[in-house]
Amino acid sequence: MEIPIDNLWCQVLERLQLELSRPTFETWIKTASAEQLENNCLVISTPNLFARNWLQKYYINTIARVVQDILGVPVEIYITVAQGDEVSPLDKQEVGWELPAVNPVTSNVAKNQQKSTDLNSKYVFSRFVVGANNRMAHAASLAVAEYPGREFNPLFLCGGVGLGKTHLMQAIGNYRWEIYPDSKIFYVSTEQFTNDLITAIRNDSMQSFREHYRAADILLVDDIQFLEGKEYTQEEFFHTFNTLHEAGKQVVIASDRPPKQIPSLQERLCSRFSMGLIADIQPPDLETRMAILQKKAEYENIRLPRDVIEYIAYNYTSNIRELEGALIRALAYISIWGLPMTVENITPVLGTHSQKMEATPEVILNVVADFFNLSIEDLKGNSRRREISWARQIGMYLMRQYTGLSLPRIGEEFGGKDHTTVMYSCEKIKQLQETDRTLTQTLRQLSDRININSRYQK
Ligand SMILES: Nc1ncnc2c1ncn2[C@@H]1O[C@H](COP(=O)(O)OP(=O)(O)OP(=O)(O)O)[C@@H](O)[C@H]1O
């Protein structure tokens, strides 16, 4: 272990940046630093207890794996809080949660190694919220978990990004593994399968590659759409599939689209993928999104006010990973600033993401004029009085958000203003709302009024 600690940490950061989502990396990893590396033990320091607990709970194994990869030896990771291990009020009370003490990483790593599968223990059926969007996929997965290799073989799960395919697929594996810890459950991404194949060809070890995959009791293959254009991998996968299927072993496949829509997928694979059950997952409705947030909060022992759940669920509609990411960001933000969990407090960090409601320019002008106690003529006119030009800038920003009109068209709605004026206003309000909480609140109130007025107009 000759490598200087700064250099090691830089490499760790580079690797984690590629592996983790941006919010996760920025919030938890980038703020940590490596303090000491001695006797195969790496001490990492975090800015507060909240961050320490979070890293300890969710990322310690990932960090340990990456460090081990770089150093070539297993390393124990200890996570501390900078400036002494003190609990600040911010860490404990406002968030209303405390994570249980976790044993040193070695015990977790050892446990995962014993498990010999690559399953995430969070992905279990009890943590999966069932709604109209995924009822069929959930029921089929549970059936497969209870009776693998029977009627739904293969089970083909398909649906858009971040909608729970991996969760369900791994839930099948975890369920079986709980009952039969000796069963061979392989979870593999198509990319991993391809890489293993390439390595086997390179090392002249095709025999062991085949023996390995064909020994599975349950084979879970994620992101099968990446077979597209990989002729040789398709060929090899076809034989693996056939061997397992003929032996009555269960195959579960996930994809972002149905087999027929995967370009250049061999016809024989396409028909095999379709011979069990194809179950699709649609984006969840508002109630299901709220239930997902609620469940997540319960698991983490966090109390979330209903309007906060509604707010996040309303704004993040099509990807559950993003929905969860929004909750994590909100939690981090209120924790760091020591604020109570309210909609007003989390708006700056979440913004008005994916505002779906549409409104007419007329509604926006009316609402803004009314809110600021001005007339529509004031908004359309050329007065430079501060309160008028402030209301005008907010109006332009909202019109851009709600109508999708071009900058010149918005200029026209405001009495023939130049498009650069509109652009400047939109940028200014967008930037200010990140730091100005009064403005964020104002925008929220205006948005509520616009939504209500638009509803009544329809
Ligand atoms: N119905 C659900 N209930 C609870 N959590 C869910 C549900 N659906 C998805 N999730 C969570 O959303 C996140 C993303 O889900 P997952 O990774 O399974 O999506 P995916 O469909 O496999 O996405 P990708 O196509 O990007 O691989 C996970 O943390 C998962 O636990």
Side-chain angles (χ1 to χ4, degrees):
M1 247 191 285
E2 297 288 307
I3 184 167
I5 189 161
D6 288 346
N7 190 327
L8 168 70
W9 192 240
C10 277
Q11 289 190 45
V12 172
L13 290 182
E14 272 173 19
R15 296 269 297 267
L16 291 175
Q17 191 165 17
L18 294 175
E19 236 177 76
L20 303 172
S21 71
R22 200 159 74 113
T24 300
F25 179 80
E26 302 275 359
T27 313
W28 310 117
I29 310 289
K30 220 172 125 184
T31 51
S33 57
E35 292 295 318
Q36 202 187 341
L37 177 64
E38 228 177 79
N39 301 331
N40 287 11
C41 172
L42 176 67
V43 180
I44 294 172
S45 151
T46 54
N48 54 47
L49 186 70
F50 181 90
R52 188 201 83 110
N53 285 344
W54 199 278
L55 274 189
Q56 179 85 49
K57 190 168 185 204
Y58 293 110
Y59 298 109
I60 194 164
N61 286 345
T62 311
I63 298 172
R65 175 175 46 74
V66 168
V67 174
Q68 177 170 349
D69 261 15
I70 296 169
L71 296 178
V73 287
V75 170
E76 269 190 73
I77 308 282
Y78 285 96
I79 304 181
T80 63
V81 180
Q83 298 149 5
D85 209 341
E86 283 168 14
V87 181
S88 80
L90 175 157
D91 289 323
K92 243 186 155 175
Q93 72 188 14
E94 303 289 355
V95 198
W97 68 327
E98 236 186 309
L99 301 172
V102 184
N103 292 330
V105 62
T106 39
S107 59
N108 282 336
V109 169
K111 196 172 160 217
N112 284 342
Q113 276 165 0
Q114 267 171 28
K115 200 166 169 179
S116 85
T117 60
D118 218 352
L119 299 176
N120 182 333
S121 56
K122 274 193 325 178
Y123 291 162
V124 286
F125 285 114
S126 56
R127 284 184 170 223
F128 191 83
V129 174
V130 184
N133 63 310
N134 58 28
R135 200 174 298 283
M136 162 91 163
H138 173 263
S141 301
L142 199 53
V144 161
E146 283 167 344
Y147 301 105
R150 304 270 181 96
E151 62 252 68
F152 304 139
N153 198 14
L155 173 62
F156 193 100
L157 298 169
C158 65
V161 173
L163 292 184
K165 303 180 293 294
T166 304
H167 187 137
L168 273 182
M169 163 180 253
Q170 294 208 12
I172 298 173
N174 278 316
Y175 184 101
R176 290 308 293 175
W177 189 78
E178 276 295 314
I179 312 174
Y180 300 107
D182 291 336
S183 50
K184 291 198 169 111
I185 300 162
F186 296 166
Y187 167 80
V188 67
S189 65
T190 302
E191 201 188 350
Q192 182 64 47
F193 184 86
T194 309
N195 289 343
D196 288 353
L197 177 62
I198 293 168
T199 310
I201 296 169
R202 198 181 291 143
N203 297 344
D204 202 11
S205 57
M206 279 304 288
Q207 185 63 19
S208 56
F209 169 87
R210 287 179 181 141
E211 279 168 8
H212 169 76
Y213 278 105
R214 294 174 197 187
D217 294 312
I218 299 186
L219 180 62
L220 311 164
V221 189
D222 215 341
D223 291 322
I224 202 82
Q225 72 273 8
F226 292 130
L227 274 186
E228 177 191 343
K230 298 194 177 90
E231 271 303 311
Y232 195 71
T233 313
Q234 289 193 22
E235 182 74 24
E236 201 52 46
F237 189 74
F238 174 76
H239 295 296
T240 303
F241 179 93
N242 279 349
T243 308
L244 291 175
H245 197 263
E246 277 160 22
K249 303 299 167 87
Q250 178 72 44
V251 180
V252 183
I253 296 165
S255 166
D256 68 355
R257 62 200 94 153
K260 280 203 166 72
Q261 287 174 23
I262 303 174
S264 71
L265 182 67
Q266 292 175 4
E267 185 47 44
R268 55 188 187 159
L269 269 178
C270 186
S271 74
R272 271 163 185 78
F273 290 170
S274 313
M275 71 195 200
L277 178 76
I278 300 178
D280 78 329
I281 307 182
Q282 295 294 324
D285 57 20
L286 181 66
E287 281 71 31
T288 309
R289 297 200 301 279
M290 287 174 63
I292 290 171
L293 289 172
Q294 184 69 50
K295 186 156 228 165
K296 185 143 182 82
E298 276 164 19
Y299 268 104
E300 304 298 355
N301 221 0
I302 308 163
R303 216 174 38 77
L304 282 183
R306 190 181 161 82
D307 61 344
V308 166
I309 294 184
E310 256 174 20
Y311 176 76
I312 301 177
Y314 181 76
N315 278 296
Y316 290 80
T317 54
S318 57
N319 179 334
I320 298 169
R321 195 175 293 117
E322 281 182 15
L323 184 75
E324 291 182 340
L327 176 61
I328 292 172
R329 278 209 306 288
L331 286 170
Y333 185 79
I334 57 137
S335 161
I336 286 161
W337 292 101
L339 301 166
M341 180 56 109
T342 63
V343 171
E344 282 74 18
N345 287 336
I346 62 169
T347 312
V349 72
L350 300 186
T352 47
H353 174 93
S354 73
Q355 181 58 264
K356 283 282 177 281
M357 187 64 79
E358 284 183 8
T360 60
E362 190 195 358
V363 164
I364 291 166
L365 288 169
N366 275 322
V367 167
V368 173
D370 185 57
F371 185 90
F372 289 103
N373 233 340
L374 299 170
S375 67
I376 292 189
E377 287 67 40
D378 287 332
L379 295 179
K380 294 192 173 205
N382 292 319
S383 166
R384 289 173 179 254
R385 255 174 49 211
R386 253 182 85 196
E387 65 270 27
I388 296 181
S389 63
W390 178 237
R392 203 180 282 136
Q393 288 175 335
I394 290 181
M396 288 175 176
Y397 169 80
L398 288 169
M399 204 174 278
R400 183 83 174 147
Q401 294 285 305
Y402 274 87
T403 64
L405 286 180
S406 66
L407 298 171
R409 279 282 293 110
I410 295 175
E412 281 169 30
E413 293 293 339
F414 281 84
K417 307 283 179 300
D418 190 74
H419 77 279
T420 52
T421 310
V422 181
M423 189 170 69
Y424 168 78
S425 303
C426 293
E427 271 312 302
K428 178 177 164 187
I429 301 297
K430 192 171 149 203
Q431 273 175 22
L432 273 180
Q433 68 160 322
E434 280 166 21
T435 48
D436 183 338
R437 293 182 47 216
T438 316
L439 171 62
T440 321
Q441 235 162 318
T442 304
L443 287 173
R444 199 168 153 259
Q445 287 168 3
L446 282 164
S447 295
D448 286 346
R449 292 190 191 189
I450 292 169
N451 286 339
I452 290 165
N453 278 279
S454 301
R455 224 167 272 158
Y456 285 124
Q457 238 201 7
K458 280 181 182 168

